[in-house]
Amino acid sequence: MSDPNPSHALETNHSLLEENSGHICQAGVYLDRVTTHYRDEVYALQAHFGNPSTDEVADAFRKGRDGYLGFEEVYRDLDDAVEAIRESYAAISVMVVQMSTNIKDADWVNMLNVGAVQELIEFSSRDNPIAVPTTMARRD
């Protein structure tokens, strides 16, 4: 059976969200370290393909030729992808904390005196009019 009060439908553990934000950030740092290690290993491969200033095949490998990408461009793409992943982890971590903050700020229903609001609604929808005193304006 569902809870008739929608304010009880979702409980948010803000400290857990903030703790998880830290874990996400740490996972991003770890991933960055691991990918940096492997990226460096890939970069070291170019040494095995000759000197591009004296070897045409080495030059073609590094710079590309005939519409094919070279190692240098592919490596830059790899760097860009790794950087995007690293930035994504950091951004997601920040967004989780911001989400928690936004939920706290939006949870104004729990701060209201619901009974007082109900009384105000009932008062404003009554049938008898409010008496307004009138005073004749004096003309000089």
Side-chain angles (χ1 to χ4, degrees), residues 20-21 26 30 37 41 47 60 63 67 70 94 111 115 119 130-131:
N20 286 338
S21 169
Q26 289 172 356
Y30 173 76
H37 169 74
E41 285 189 10
K63 296 180 182 162
V94 168
M111 293 182 242
E119 288 175 19
I130 299 174

Side-chain angles (χ1 to χ4, degrees), residues 4 9 14 21 24 29 35-36 55 61 86 101 107 109 129 136 140:
H14 298 285
S21 169
I24 292 167
V29 169
T35 55
T36 297
D55 185 347
F61 169 76
R86 189 190 62 72
T101 301
D107 197 15
V109 172
M136 297 295 289
D140 290 326

Side-chain angles (χ1 to χ4, degrees), residues 43-115:
Y43 189 76
L45 290 176
Q46 69 179 333
H48 301 288
F49 290 97
N51 183 349
S53 61
T54 60
D55 185 347
E56 185 178 338
V57 174
D59 186 59
F61 169 76
R62 290 186 183 181
K63 296 180 182 162
R65 193 164 288 156
D66 300 326
Y68 292 98
L69 298 176
F71 177 84
E72 292 172 0
E73 188 171 350
V74 172
Y75 188 78
R76 275 193 303 276
D77 290 347
L78 175 64
D79 269 350
D80 292 346
V82 169
E83 179 67 15
I85 291 170
R86 189 190 62 72
E87 289 174 0
S88 295
Y89 271 85
I92 291 168
S93 174
V94 168
M95 285 187 279
V96 168
V97 171
Q98 187 61 53
M99 178 182 65
S100 176
T101 301
N102 290 347
I103 291 170
K104 284 179 194 174
D105 292 346
D107 197 15
W108 59 271
V109 172
N110 289 334
M111 293 182 242
L112 289 177
N113 180 340
V114 178

